[in-house]
Amino acid sequence: MAFDGTWKLDRTENYDKFMEVMGVDGKLAAQDNLMTIKQNGKQFSVHESSVFNASDMVFRLEEIHEYSMLGIKLVGIWRRLGLKLEGNFNRKDNKKLLKTEQEIAGGELIQTYLYEGVEAKKIFKRE
């Protein structure tokens, strides 16, 4: 599948501001540098690792699931829209919406986040 593989963080756009609005130390968040994705039909397994920690997440498209992003607990759903994955998640602490999108474009995996009017991107290259 298109998302399968190991992806290394190449660059970010506006990520420090996004992390500030989320209430997370952006310097720690910027250390997320490797992501391995495996897809089996509607099920995705994602392993993220950095110098400071590692996390695993398994989810199925169109099913509600919970996960933690840098210590923030979220609940929501992933949907496929063509070649993109779109996620809508609410923070468990304040119920505010985090929108996220993943797409493969030009050989890169682009993660886009939108929270409280602040948009940020993490761009990965396949290892």
Side-chain angles (χ1 to χ4, degrees), residues 12-20 26 29-30 32 69-70 111 113 119-122:
T12 64
E13 296 175 7
N14 205 34
Y15 200 66
D16 286 339
K17 179 65 176 172
F18 168 71
M19 287 287 95
E20 179 183 317
D32 287 345
M69 180 175 121
L70 300 164
Q111 289 183 328
Y113 300 97
E119 183 177 284
K121 293 184 183 207
K122 290 173 75 174

Side-chain angles (χ1 to χ4, degrees), residues 38-54:
K38 292 180 183 171
Q39 181 183 358
N40 183 7
K42 288 187 169 191
Q43 182 170 305
F44 285 76
S45 298
V46 181
H47 175 78
E48 293 183 86
S49 61
S50 72
V51 174
F52 297 106
N53 72 15

Side-chain angles (χ1 to χ4, degrees), residues 2-125:
F3 290 95
D4 281 0
T6 300
W7 300 88
K8 183 175 174 91
L9 183 64
D10 183 60
R11 63 193 183 280
T12 64
E13 296 175 7
N14 205 34
Y15 200 66
D16 286 339
K17 179 65 176 172
F18 168 71
M19 287 287 95
E20 179 183 317
V21 172
M22 289 284 290
V24 175
D25 182 345
K27 291 184 184 0
L28 290 177
Q31 299 301 316
D32 287 345
N33 54 16
L34 278 179
M35 179 171 44
T36 302
I37 301 173
K38 292 180 183 171
Q39 181 183 358
N40 183 7
K42 288 187 169 191
Q43 182 170 305
F44 285 76
S45 298
V46 181
H47 175 78
E48 293 183 86
S49 61
S50 72
V51 174
F52 297 106
N53 72 15
S55 66
D56 291 296
M57 173 176 51
V58 176
F59 65 90
R60 291 184 58 79
L61 296 176
E62 306 291 335
E63 291 183 9
I64 294 174
H65 73 281
E66 293 184 25
Y67 79 101
S68 180
M69 180 175 121
L70 300 164
I72 297 170
K73 294 187 186 295
L74 301 152
V75 63
I77 192 167
W78 282 103
R79 291 186 170 86
R80 183 190 316 265
L81 298 172
L83 298 176
K84 294 181 184 181
L85 295 179
E86 180 183 273
N88 289 301
F89 297 90
N90 290 97
R91 290 179 61 152
K92 290 188 88 175
D93 61 347
N94 64 16
K95 309 296 186 230
K96 292 183 181 178
L97 179 65
L98 168 67
K99 290 185 170 220
T100 185
E101 184 176 283
Q102 290 188 355
E103 68 177 314
I104 307 292
E108 297 178 321
L109 171 62
I110 302 167
Q111 289 183 328
T112 304
Y113 300 97
L114 179 62
Y115 182 76
E116 293 282 283
V118 176
E119 183 177 284
K121 293 184 183 207
K122 290 173 75 174
I123 299 101
F124 295 81
K125 292 195 180 276

